Amino acid sequence: MIERYTTKEMGRIWSDQNKYSTWLKVEIAVSEILSEMGEVPKESIDIIKRKAKFSVKRINEIESTVHHDVIAFLTNLSENIGPDSRFIHMGMTSSDLLDTSLALLCKESGEIIIDKVRAFHKLLRNKAVQYRDTFQIGRSHGVHAEPITFGLKMALWSEEVGRHLKRIERAVENIAVGKISGAVGTYQHLDPSVEEKVCEKLGLKAETVSNQVVQRDHHAEFLSSLAMFGSTIEKVAIEIRHLQRTEVLEAEEFFSKGQKGSSAMPHKRNPIITERMTGFSRILRSNAHVGMENIALWHERDISHSSVERIIIPDSTNLVDYMLDKMIKLIDNLLVYPENMMANINKTNGLIFSQEILLALINEGLTRESAYRLVQKNAMKVWEDGVDFKEVLFNDNEIMEVLTKEKIDNLFDLNKIMININKIYKRLGLK
């Protein structure tokens, strides 16, 4: 597990202590249901619940000999419970315990992630409102295109995060599935009603049909939803990394007091958090790929999925949890430089209004080809000579025969873009 990037709560969920506590919870739930059905004496259940203790250290000691973690766990329980331990794990196979417990752990970790995704979504919405009127140059192919606002960029991010929220919620719901169906899923030794009652008791759904394991498309969906969300985190991170470049400097990660950016160059303020997000998103996508590889198992089961899931599921939930903590703090404290944004808007001497001129000429009756030729001819002069686009237009007789100076001045007004941006905000329910 990636312990360095594990938060306290997520670390607790995936600890050995909590894993075995969850196993015990499942085993006792099965025994209780069997007792309610008259198959286990109530007195034995009372003894089991009172004496069922385990030691991680002792389980590890037993496992070093038996090489089977579930048997080691059950052996340790029997050492503490005594003769009534015979009513533990009745009719069950290891995967009944492992998969039902894993569902509980994924659900618990997923709910933490969902709460933080909601917080991140809300933060982006608030920032979208805050920077609604902060003009910024829009870029395509990395090249200046037309003006946008920084708030609109935040609004776009928030919508994408909102879609991920729904995906993760759906994935958590779909992975919260248990099975107590026995060795190959035929309920040979336990009635299906036991499974239904146990899962209900645990807050899970019973799998509709299983073999020896809960089918791994559940887990692949869970991991994929986290990986897709991580890809959007990377998308946001890459944008911030670009905006922090010295020659751009429109936004910047907060640089805390005492922080150092380089061992060699004292002046450096590097985008270390967003670069870290890019790296972690690659791990999430790799883990999701492995989750898909786990879907195809031999016959009713093999354990090729088991070892890898002990790494990829804790690591993915840990990483997303950590990434959310970092990105919430980063966006909340993001340094934004509107003056630099405006300076960059003006860097091309008005070329970003070329489409405004093109459409105005077309509206005055020119063909698109003729209008494009006229505008591009003048735009190339600006690129080559570094002169002001508006002044070049004023000196072009062909254009001035069609457009007035007042009309051209109006076309260069940045505030025009807010008319329809405001409509987008209204559509999103943002004020």
Side-chain angles (χ1 to χ4, degrees):
M1 288 172 56
I2 304 175
E3 295 181 359
R4 179 181 176 185
Y5 304 109
T6 301
T7 63
K8 184 177 180 180
E9 182 58 18
M10 197 64 79
R12 180 198 64 77
I13 291 173
W14 295 108
S15 67
D16 283 345
Q17 182 68 32
N18 190 58
K19 177 181 73 173
Y20 293 129
S21 293
T22 306
W23 287 14
L24 181 57
K25 184 177 180 181
V26 172
E27 290 286 2
I28 288 178
V30 174
S31 297
E32 285 179 328
I33 294 301
L34 290 175
S35 179
E36 291 172 9
M37 299 172 73
E39 296 184 26
V40 175
K42 185 180 182 304
E43 299 78 15
S44 296
I45 292 297
D46 293 338
I47 291 172
I48 289 170
K49 290 171 72 173
R50 187 172 71 253
K51 292 187 175 182
K53 302 290 190 297
F54 64 85
S55 161
V56 174
K57 181 180 178 181
R58 178 60 182 147
I59 292 170
N60 290 338
E61 289 173 354
I62 298 169
E63 187 180 359
S64 68
T65 299
V66 301
H67 302 293
H68 195 295
D69 54 355
V70 173
I71 291 175
F73 169 74
L74 294 172
T75 301
N76 186 211
L77 287 185
S78 68
E79 291 173 338
N80 295 317
I81 295 171
D84 290 287
S85 64
R86 68 186 184 277
F87 297 117
I88 290 283
H89 208 69
M90 283 182 60
M92 295 171 61
T93 188
S94 295
S95 292
D96 291 335
L97 173 61
L98 296 173
D99 282 3
T100 304
S101 299
L102 182 58
L104 290 170
L105 297 174
C106 288
K107 181 182 178 183
E108 188 177 4
S109 60
E111 286 170 349
I112 290 175
I113 289 170
I114 286 169
D115 285 343
K116 291 185 179 181
V117 174
R118 286 196 186 108
F120 187 48
H121 178 256
K122 182 178 180 180
L123 175 61
L124 288 171
R125 302 290 267 193
N126 291 339
K127 291 293 182 179
V129 172
Q130 180 180 348
Y131 295 111
R132 175 193 197 118
D133 304 317
T134 302
F135 293 114
Q136 183 186 32
I137 189 61
R139 298 171 172 92
S140 58
H141 306 278
V143 177
H144 286 203
E146 293 186 348
I148 60 170
T149 74
F150 192 50
L152 183 61
K153 191 184 293 287
M154 293 280 197
L156 181 141
W157 292 344
S158 77
E159 283 295 286
E160 192 163 333
V161 169
R163 292 191 292 275
H164 286 305
L165 176 59
K166 293 177 182 177
R167 292 186 186 105
I168 296 171
E169 287 174 337
R170 184 168 60 248
V172 170
E173 179 183 355
N174 288 340
I175 204 172
V177 170
K179 58 94 60 181
I180 311 290
S181 59
V184 289
T186 60
Y187 304 96
Q188 180 72 17
H189 308 289
L190 290 172
D191 189 84
S193 62
V194 175
E195 178 184 75
E196 293 170 7
K197 292 175 181 178
V198 167
C199 288
E200 182 180 4
K201 189 180 187 71
L202 295 171
L204 301 174
K205 293 175 294 184
E207 179 65 296
T208 53
V209 58
S210 63
N211 44 37
Q212 191 151 330
V213 296
V214 169
Q215 301 307 285
R216 260 41 204 176
D217 60 290
H218 291 281
H219 307 77
E221 179 187 14
F222 182 61
L223 291 164
S224 296
S225 71
L226 299 181
M228 287 178 67
F229 177 67
S231 294
T232 291
I233 291 290
E234 181 182 18
K235 169 183 176 174
V236 174
I238 286 176
E239 181 69 15
I240 293 171
R241 286 166 59 192
H242 169 77
L243 298 180
Q244 187 164 336
R245 291 171 61 189
T246 306
E247 56 269 41
V248 178
L249 201 56
E250 294 180 1
E252 183 181 21
E253 289 185 20
F254 179 75
F255 197 79
S256 61
K257 185 177 181 181
Q259 183 176 340
K260 293 178 172 60
S262 167
S263 63
M265 297 166 284
H267 72 278
K268 295 296 293 296
R269 288 159 61 120
N270 299 329
I272 57 170
I273 298 299
T274 47
E275 288 177 341
R276 196 178 301 164
M277 297 301 103
T278 291
F280 284 163
S281 71
R282 295 169 184 166
I283 296 175
L284 292 174
R285 288 192 291 273
S286 297
N287 288 351
H289 174 77
V290 176
M292 293 178 194
E293 295 290 316
N294 286 343
I295 292 174
L297 303 177
W298 282 23
H299 304 298
E300 278 56 63
R301 65 86 64 118
D302 62 50
I303 59 169
S304 60
H305 67 288
S306 177
S307 57
V308 72
E309 282 179 355
R310 297 172 192 234
I311 299 170
I312 62 175
I313 295 178
D315 276 5
S316 289
T317 53
N318 272 304
L319 283 178
V320 171
D321 183 50
Y322 174 86
M323 291 166 77
L324 277 161
D325 282 351
K326 289 298 181 182
M327 288 302 293
I328 288 170
K329 184 176 180 181
L330 188 152
I331 295 295
D332 197 30
N333 295 283
L334 188 68
L335 302 177
V336 178
Y337 304 116
E339 301 85 359
N340 290 350
M341 290 181 178
M342 188 58 69
N344 284 333
I345 284 175
N346 294 326
K347 189 165 286 185
T348 56
N349 299 309
L351 283 178
I352 57 176
F353 296 103
S354 68
Q355 185 171 195
E356 294 282 348
I357 304 300
L358 172 69
L359 295 177
L361 291 171
I362 292 171
N363 287 335
E364 292 295 332
L366 271 69
T367 65
R368 182 175 185 84
E369 291 72 20
S370 296
Y372 197 100
R373 177 184 56 79
L374 282 174
V375 176
Q376 187 180 48
K377 177 187 69 173
N378 288 288
M380 292 306 106
K381 289 181 182 178
V382 177
W383 277 118
E384 293 161 6
D385 301 332
V387 292
D388 184 75
F389 186 43
K390 190 191 294 186
E391 291 301 318
V392 172
L393 295 174
F394 287 162
N395 291 321
D396 187 309
N397 292 331
E398 288 185 89
I399 286 180
M400 296 311 296
E401 287 177 1
V402 182
L403 302 177
T404 66
K405 284 190 174 183
E406 181 181 8
K407 176 71 172 178
I408 292 174
D409 280 332
N410 290 334
L411 294 173
F412 276 69
D413 182 7
L414 265 178
N415 291 300
K416 294 194 313 303
I417 71 169
M418 293 308 302
I419 296 171
N420 287 328
I421 286 178
N422 287 335
K423 293 178 182 177
I424 296 173
Y425 271 66
K426 185 177 180 181
R427 188 164 63 198
L428 299 180
L430 294 173
K431 298 181 179 179

